[in-house]
Structure formats: structure tokens, C-alpha cells
Amino acid sequence: TTGKVAMASNAMASKRARIDEDKTPVSGEIDYRVVFSAAQVPAGRAGFGIGEEDVAIEFGASFNRVAHPSDGEIDLAWQTKLRESPKMWDALKFRLASLEVHKTADGPAVTIRVGVTSYKDYVGTNADGVPAARLAALRADGRSNHDDAHAHESRALGVETVLETSDGKLVLLRRSEGVATFRGVFNGPSGHPEPADAGVKADLANLDGIEPAAVRREMFDAVVKECVEETGIPAGALSRPRLIGAVTDSFGKPDLLFHTRTSLTAEQVGTCLTNASEAWESSAADVVDATPPEDVESRAGADVRKGPGEEEQFRCLRPGEPAPFAFGASVLRNPPTRNDQASGASAMSRAFWARDPRFISPVTRAAVDCVYMLESLRAERGTAGGMREERVMDNALDAAMDHELFDVARAIERRMLTRAGFA
């Protein structure tokens, strides 16, 4: 433990070279960036995540995307995506302009500044099909003309939740071929809060009269709606979500990350899946342990990919077949590690907690990072189903350093030193 702390201290400064100036992950490194963790909030204030009442919203047209001379390419990108995913449709989305953490004992824990954009603009500026040269040009013009690298990007704000059952499992869904991004990997229930449900009309230039509280409520309501629509769990069986972090993927697309509990067991959730109204978005479902195995690896390498001709990693359906929606339909054929699995954990549990990019989406891996960081600083250790403290602390410190959350890293270091008897 002491060696780990010393290595962490020496490595902090060098981590800055891994992230570019506008906080977007560098290609070849971790393909997402946690830009906020609830672990940054003063100890004892957040609990496991931040409640709705401790989130402040600033909302207005000044936070909207700035048009760019190349916007004609948005229409071309949209038509291409429609051919790939004909079930997509355009709609208004909230746009993340900035996020500020408040490290005080009172007042809001975090302020989120949002405007309005569209899903079409997202596809044309931040989705995974946007050419790197176009994205670089948009950011260069944003910096030079608006002192904001992301001024010309949609930055459509999504939400995803870690969904925990009453018997200590986490629900995962495999993204189908019908969705726009990250097809074939697993994530938690996810989607977008809808400006229309907060009272926003089509006139993006006039957002007066929309209460920030309505925007905030929709951000939390959206998590519950996505759980209901994607898993079939009744809304009454879900807790109010708690905010655990925020992430941007390698294209600059932001998502708020939440933790939500259901009063149902994993078996009961399995029976609900057949009632999911948005079942087409998923091709399989699975559950993993809500606590990491004691021999869990640290972060799996980002360069591990399925090569041409290699066997499919999942026993799953082909595109176009109906979703099985039976837990275990996604069992891994090839475990993510050849190491001995002394803990007896499932291959999927190990892949989840090791944040293996072959199986787990970038946004979900960011959520795992946030869970590790929160759990490592929890006031009463060992309360979350027997999480293995040393592994949790190591993974939490790695996550904090990877994302340059140095205040969290220092707090974890202090906790590790105390645990080692050096306090």
C-alpha cells in the first residue's frame, strides 16, 4: 500500500501529458474522461452520490451551440446515420456548456450550465462517425473565435445509471445494432433527458420562462424513465437517482452518471425485461456482482480488441433477431483474462469491474470509475456488500489519477496511509 501511494504521488504531474487542453481523451489512451466525480464533494455531504436538491442548474440560450460555416455536413452525417439506424429520429436535447463543483459545506454541490441542441446536431458534431479532421477544425475555430473549444459542438447531454438490485446485482444491457453508437457492448440504462418534458418549445433562441428547477427535475426523471423503458421495471420499484459523476467520451459527448436502486431482485428484474417498451435498443441482458471480486484486475488494456476472423466474444443474437432478455444470454465465450479466478466471479463481473473495453461501453466504464472513487472514501468501509478494500482503493486511486481528479487522489492517498498505520 505505501509503495502504491508513493508511486501515485510521483506520477500525478506526468498525467497531464495524457489529456489535451480541452479535456478530451487523447487517442490511444483511455477513451473517455471523467470530468466530475461526486467524490470531489466534501466528505459526509454527498453520501453515495448527490441528491437532486444539491444540484443547481443554470439554463438559457447563451449556453446553446454556436453555428459554424461547415454545418452543411451535419445534414450529410444525419442522412448516413438514418440509413444505418432507421429507427432514429431528431429531437431537442439539452446541451452541456459547463459544470462546476462546489467544495463547501452548504449551497449546491455542483452547478450544471445547459442550453438546448438537437440529436441531429449531435450526430453531425460529436457522434462516433464524425471525422477527426472535422472535429479538430471545429475545436480550433471554437478556441480562436469564442475562447471555447466546444462552442461549435452539440454536446448533447445524456444520462446513464448504475442500476442495483435488492440482492446485490447490477443490471447491464447489450447495445443492439439498431442504436447509433457503441453497438455490441454493455451499459446500464441510458438515454437523454428531454427538453420538451421541461416545457422547452422549438424556438431555441427564446428559452425564457423555463424554470431551472424543471430542467433539473427532468434530468433525474429521465433516468427513471430510461430504466422503465429499457428494463420494464415499474417506476414505483425504483429509487430516486443520485448523481455520481459526469463523463465525456472520445468525441466530446457528455453524460451525467447516476446510481439507482430497485426494490426488485435480479430474478424479478429478469421477468420484467419482456415488458420493456424499448427492447429494440438491446440485444441481450445480464447481471454482474455489485461488488468487485477480491482478485479483480486493475483497468484492462484499451488495446484489446477482437481481430478479423476471431470468434465473437458473446453468445448473443445476430442483428435483426428478437432480444432474448434472459440473463445469461450474453455469457462470454472467452473470459477477459486467462488468470486463475480464485473468487469464482463470473467472466462478465470481472470484465465489468476491470472496465474491459471489449465488453463495456466507455460511459459505463466511467461509471465504474466513479463507483470505485466513492466507495474508497465512504465513511464506513465494508458496508457495500463486502467490497475488497485494498482492490477498491487501488482502482479508485488509479481512476482519480487517470482523470486528473487530484483532489480525490489526495483524499484516497490519505485514506490508504491511515489504513497502513501511518496517520
Side-chain angles (χ1 to χ4, degrees):
T1 300
T2 55
K4 181 81 173 181
V5 172
M7 290 172 61
S9 297
N10 293 337
M12 276 192 183
S14 66
K15 288 291 181 181
R16 297 189 183 279
R18 302 177 67 252
I19 305 294
D20 71 16
E21 63 181 356
D22 50 36
K23 307 301 183 185
T24 301
V26 175
S27 176
E29 298 288 352
I30 297 170
D31 55 346
Y32 61 92
R33 167 134 181 143
V34 174
V35 295
F36 157 67
S37 167
Q40 294 175 271
V41 174
R45 169 132 190 236
F48 201 84
I50 297 169
E52 183 175 347
E53 68 282 358
D54 287 324
V55 176
I57 297 292
E58 295 181 11
F59 178 70
S62 64
F63 300 126
N64 289 357
R65 172 182 171 271
V66 179
H68 189 268
S70 67
D71 281 354
E73 295 186 33
I74 293 176
D75 290 324
L76 297 176
W78 179 247
Q79 293 304 318
T80 299
K81 279 291 185 183
L82 282 180
R83 288 191 292 271
E84 296 175 357
S85 305
K87 290 189 176 183
M88 285 197 316
W89 68 94
D90 192 19
L92 296 182
K93 302 297 174 187
F94 289 111
R95 177 183 187 271
L96 179 65
S98 65
L99 187 151
E100 181 181 359
V101 182
H102 306 289
K103 301 176 183 180
T104 57
D106 52 15
V110 61
T111 296
I112 303 173
R113 300 180 181 91
V114 290
V116 177
T117 183
S118 71
Y119 196 76
K120 179 179 176 180
D121 283 357
Y122 154 63
V123 167
T125 63
N126 283 129
D128 59 2
V130 177
R134 169 166 165 71
L135 193 54
L138 290 176
R139 290 179 178 171
D141 288 350
R143 290 188 195 98
S144 61
N145 298 330
H146 304 282
D147 197 28
D148 177 4
H150 302 293
H152 300 301
E153 297 173 46
S154 168
R155 304 271 286 173
L157 182 60
V159 295
E160 180 171 327
T161 190
V162 175
L163 177 57
E164 185 171 350
T165 66
S166 62
D167 56 344
K169 300 293 183 180
L170 304 179
V171 179
L172 294 177
L173 304 170
R174 191 186 187 204
R175 296 176 64 81
S176 76
E177 292 295 314
V179 298
T181 58
F182 302 122
R183 302 180 185 107
V185 293
F186 285 82
N187 64 358
S190 61
H192 293 84
E194 303 294 343
D197 291 342
V200 177
K201 307 301 182 185
D203 185 3
L204 303 191
N206 183 12
L207 301 178
D208 296 340
I210 305 298
E211 292 294 330
V215 175
R216 178 182 65 184
R217 184 167 56 251
E218 170 56 18
M219 289 181 180
F220 283 75
D221 285 351
V223 177
V224 175
K225 286 187 287 188
E226 295 298 338
C227 288
V228 172
E229 292 171 356
E230 295 183 7
T231 70
I233 298 173
L238 294 163
S239 71
R240 198 63 180 158
R242 295 184 69 85
L243 181 66
I244 62 172
V247 61
T248 59
D249 68 19
S250 58
F251 291 87
K253 166 77 165 65
D255 283 85
L256 298 179
L257 307 171
F258 294 84
H259 180 269
T260 308
R261 298 182 186 274
T262 175
S263 58
L264 304 183
T265 65
E267 182 178 0
Q268 290 171 323
V269 171
T271 64
C272 291
L273 288 169
T274 56
N275 299 319
S277 62
E278 293 188 354
W280 67 270
E281 294 186 358
S282 305
S283 64
D286 212 336
V287 290
V288 300
D289 297 332
T291 56
E294 63 181 1
D295 56 343
V296 69
E297 301 173 0
S298 53
R299 188 186 307 280
D303 59 345
V304 181
R305 303 290 182 183
K306 184 169 73 72
E310 286 187 20
E311 185 179 25
E312 169 61 65
Q313 298 289 348
F314 302 101
R315 188 173 70 237
C316 65
L317 298 179
R318 292 182 173 84
E321 293 184 286
F325 277 142
F327 291 140
S330 56
V331 172
L332 304 188
R333 285 178 172 171
N334 302 318
T337 178
R338 299 288 188 257
N339 295 337
D340 292 336
Q341 298 179 14
S343 66
S346 71
M348 183 58 76
S349 288
R350 298 179 66 82
F352 176 83
W353 287 107
R355 293 148 291 173
D356 194 316
R358 295 175 296 176
F359 313 114
I360 310 300
S361 80
V363 177
T364 306
R365 283 179 270 138
V368 178
D369 284 340
C370 290
V371 170
Y372 272 131
M373 287 185 278
L374 277 170
E375 185 61 31
S376 72
L377 296 176
R378 185 179 282 203
E380 297 181 11
R381 295 290 300 130
T383 60
M387 291 185 96
R388 306 303 194 228
E389 185 166 0
E390 184 170 348
R391 292 288 185 169
V392 170
M393 301 290 271
D394 286 349
N395 278 289
L397 182 57
D398 286 344
M401 292 171 60
D402 283 337
H403 303 296
E404 289 195 311
L405 300 177
F406 295 133
D407 51 348
V408 178
R410 284 189 288 269
I412 296 169
E413 284 182 332
R414 288 193 293 270
R415 181 65 62 91
M416 293 174 81
L417 286 169
T418 299
R419 182 173 177 272
F422 288 96

